[in-house]
Each structure stands twice: as C-alpha cells, then as structure tokens.
C-alpha cells in the first residue's frame, strides 16, 4: 500500500473520534482531499528535492487521542529549565499536558485556548504547504493564542514527541492572532528523547495586526532518529513586525516550509535561521516571503553547518509584487562544510514585479578557515577545541540575537554539546 493510500485509510479509521463540529469536520475533509489530490511531496519536485522524504513510506499517520500518565512522566524528565516570566504550556504527542503546564486562559490581555482546532487553509494557495493541510486533517487539538489590541505577553509552548513514528504521528498545531499594537514573545520548542524515532508534523498560522510586534523563537531538538516536518504561515498588517529566530539541532530528517506575506504598508520581517548537523542528518528549509504592500522590508539570514555525511539546504525566495513600491530585502545565506561527505545548498531567489525596490542577496558555501585553524593550533589549542571555536564563531552572530537570555544560554550549551561532546562549561568558553 502506498503512503498516500495508508494516509487516507488511517484518517478514515479515526475520523469519528476527532472533534465533531460540522464546520471543523468539513475543513478536515477539505484538507485531506487536497492532500489526496496533490499527493505527498516527492523528490522530483524542485522545492522538495533536498528534503529527506523516505521516512513517509514507513511512518504511521494516526495521532494518539488520549494521554497516558506514563507519557506525562517521561515528558517531565525531558523538559528544559523554565524561562523566567514566560507562561509554559506543554503538549505531549500533540495533546495538552495540564500537569506540566500553566493554567490556560487570559493574562494581561493574552489568552490561550489549549483545546482549539486547527482550521487554516494550508496548501490551498501553495502545494508546498500541503503537509500543513495534513496537520489540519489529523490534529486532534491545537493551541490558539489570541492577543487583544495593546496586550503584552510572553508564552512558551513545548511540544514533546515520544511515540515511535511507526506507531503514531504527532501534530503540533498552533494559531496566533495578535491584535493591533500587541507585543508578544513566543518560544516554540520541539523536543524528544535522545534516541527517539518519532514522526511529528507541525503547523503554525500567525496573523499579526497593524503595528503589532511578534518575536517568535523556534528551537528543534528532537531525537537523533526523529522525523520532523513543519509548515509556518504568517500574514502581517500595516506597520507590523515579525522577528523569527529558528534553531535546528535535532532529527534525522527535518523540513521547514515557510510562507510570510507582508500585506500592509511598512510591514517588516526579520528571519534568522541556524542549523548544526552531523552524522547523516538532513535539514531543508524552503522560505517564501511575499511583499504585497509599499515600504515593506525583509531581512533574512541563514547559517548552516554540515559535518559528517549530513546535508543542509536553505532556499530563500523573495517575491515583490507590483504594489510593493519602495520595498526592500536583504539576504545573507551561508553554509559551512565540516565533513568529507557533507553537502550544502543555499539558494537566494528574487522575483521582482516593480522597479522601485531595493534588493540584495549573497550566498556562500565553504570549509573551515585553514589559516585560522593553523593559527589556533600554533597557539597550543587542541584540534577539537580549535574547530569548535571556528564553528561557534560562524553561528554566534545569529544566536546572539535571541532576546531571552536564559533561552540563549540553553541554545549555546546545546551547540557546545554538538561541537565538542562536552558539557555547559565549554559553552561559556565558546561564548
């Protein structure tokens, strides 16, 4: 049986147990029909040829519908240290874990509903987003954040993936509605056991109102054998700002599909993505930013390190529509090859339909600086530490932008562990 046929059969088996509101049921059916029509992504598609899609042939698509006490205990042991001032909400295999979370509801004008349903139209306008549609069809729950106009709030959502991907899938689902002039800081984490072989397919939909500011920090630290897909869509109103900092360290195969639309005059997005891979990991990002309004602005930075036999890819596609007068974009995409069998592919793309814009881009792929490495070795620094210092120097500019000190420290420690295999003391030296 093909993966698509299994997917349809898995959905039919659980459809009756999913939330049953008529409108939601119709939306799930439409999302499933879209995936069935277009099929699952394949390596022959240009925008997917760098992703590792082989896992889709063996995973199960059915999500768990109930959370067991044993899963809560396992998740508790995996949780990172708390972030001061942030309300934490934990989902285990896509289901809300109340014993590990703050109480849902409203605080300072920011409300979170943990029993919402994902109803976004992923995949309707872009076939690259159809795995987001898959999440709409299957996700039993979604977290919905609603910020009233002028509200201010800090929230952390932790998605823990425990079950084997051959047994079940998890569908982390999140919607964000930021009212005019609201200020949100949102930390989104995806974690699992070090040896975990989970399958997660996340979907995130953001609507950022006029003059609102959303600073979104995403950290992916799933298990070494995990498979992780995520689809993110954002729409920005006039004068809105979206700051997205993404860090990827885990998973055997990971793919991010992003589509941001700058719909209002003066909307701005600043996207910084960093990834450090080793072994046979594959990490692929396809990011589309669409300028639909005058005076809009995009800043996009990527730093990826591929060691061992890993492969890192980033495609940054900027589109400036005819109505985007005086729009501006800057892309800086860089990759570092740190292994004899490593691969990297960084591709900036520009589509411009108006003359009155400013756009610049740069992309590089290189190896560790041999002269700098020789200099460090000549000063008595051992080879492993010297290489770690050079890798850290390559990433530190983006990591330093993360505006939550405790989270930044945790990320520095994770990078130090990846580079050296040593503990947090090394992170302080590298920093």
């Amino acid at each position: 049986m093909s993966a698509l046929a299994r997917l349809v059969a898995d959905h039919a088996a659980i459809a009756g147990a999913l939330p049953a509101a008529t409108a939601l049921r119709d939306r799930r059916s439409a999302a499933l029909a879209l995936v069935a029509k277009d099929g699952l992504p394949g390596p022959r598609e240009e925008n997917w040829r760098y992703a590792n899609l082989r896992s889709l042939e063996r995973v199960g698509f059915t999500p768990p519908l109930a959370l067991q006490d044993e899963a809560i205990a396992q998740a508790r042991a995996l949780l990172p240290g708390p972030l001061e001032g942030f309300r934490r909400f934990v989902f285990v295999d896509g289901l809300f874990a109340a014993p590990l979370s703050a109480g849902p509801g409203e605080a300072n004008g920011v409300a979170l509903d943990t029993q919402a349903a994902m109803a976004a139209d992923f995949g309707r306008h872009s076939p690259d987003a159809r795995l987001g549609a898959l999440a709409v069809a299957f996700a039993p729950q979604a977290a919905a954040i609603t910020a009233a106009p002028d509200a201010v709030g800090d929230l952390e959502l932790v998605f823990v993936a425990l079950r084997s991907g051959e047994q079940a899938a998890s569908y982390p689902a999140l919607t964000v509605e930021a009212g005019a002039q609201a200020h949100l800081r949102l930390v989104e984490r995806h974690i699992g056991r070090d040896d975990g072989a989970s399958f997660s397919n996340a979907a995130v939909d953001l609507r950022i109102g006029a003059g609102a500011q959303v600073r979104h920090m995403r950290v992916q630290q799933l298990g070494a054998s995990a498979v992780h897909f995520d689809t993110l869509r954002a729409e920005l109103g006039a004068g809105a700002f979206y700051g997205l900092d993404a860090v990827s360290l885990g998973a055997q195969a990971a793919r991010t599909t992003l589509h941001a639309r700058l719909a209002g005059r003066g909307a701005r997005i600043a996207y910084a993505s960093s990834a450090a891979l080793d072994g046979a990991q594959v990490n692929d990002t396809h990011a589309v930013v669409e300028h639909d309004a005058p005076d809009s602005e995009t800043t996009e930075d990527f730093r990826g390190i591929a060691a061992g036999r890993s492969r890192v890819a980033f495609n940054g596609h900027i589109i400036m529509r005819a109505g985007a007068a005086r729009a501006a974009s800057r892309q800086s995409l860089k990759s570092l090859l740190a292994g004899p069998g490593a691969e990297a592919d960084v591709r900036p793309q520009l589509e411009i339909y108006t003359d009155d814009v400013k756009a610049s881009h740069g992309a590089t792929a290189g190896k560790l600086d041999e002269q700098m490495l020789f200099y460090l070795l000549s000063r008595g620094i051992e080879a492993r530490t010297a290489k770690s210092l050079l890798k850290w120097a390559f990433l530190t500019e983006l990591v330093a932008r993360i505006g939550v000190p405790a989270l930044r420290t945790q990320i520095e420690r994770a990078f130090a562990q990846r580079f050296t295999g040593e503990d947090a003391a090394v992170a302080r030296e590298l920093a």
Side-chain angles (χ1 to χ4, degrees), residues 224 249-253 276-283 309-311 418:
L249 280 157
Q252 180 70 24
L277 282 62
D278 204 347
Q281 287 181 286
V282 177
N283 188 291
R309 296 178 292 106
S310 63
R311 183 170 73 242
R418 167 56 55 88

Side-chain angles (χ1 to χ4, degrees), residues 63-64 89-96 114 116-118 122 131-144 157-162 168-175 188-191 198-205 218-220 222 227-232:
F89 302 90
V90 179
F91 292 76
V92 180
D93 290 328
L95 300 174
F96 180 58
T114 61
M118 174 59 77
F122 288 109
L131 288 183
L134 181 66
V136 172
F138 275 96
Q141 295 176 0
L157 281 81
V158 184
F159 296 98
V160 186
L162 294 177
S170 65
Y171 296 93
L174 170 65
T175 65
E188 176 194 348
R189 302 186 196 241
H190 298 269
I191 64 174
S198 57
F199 169 51
S200 56
N201 180 34
V204 180
D205 187 49
R218 311 184 83 199
V219 183
Q220 188 269 105
L222 289 161
V227 175
H228 180 70
F229 296 97
D230 70 86
T231 306
L232 186 153

Side-chain angles (χ1 to χ4, degrees), residues 6-44:
R6 282 192 297 105
L7 183 158
V8 173
D10 285 351
H11 191 270
I14 66 161
L18 293 171
T22 301
L24 179 57
R25 186 171 62 244
D26 292 346
R27 181 62 59 88
R28 291 185 188 279
S29 297
L32 183 67
L34 186 149
V35 177
K37 173 180 174 292
D38 293 337
L40 291 169
R44 293 184 179 180

Side-chain angles (χ1 to χ4, degrees), residues 79-110:
L79 293 178
L83 303 176
E84 185 177 356
F86 280 74
R87 298 165 65 201
R88 171 177 280 184
F89 302 90
V90 179
F91 292 76
V92 180
D93 290 328
L95 300 174
F96 180 58
L100 306 178
S101 305
E106 183 177 322
N108 300 322
V110 180

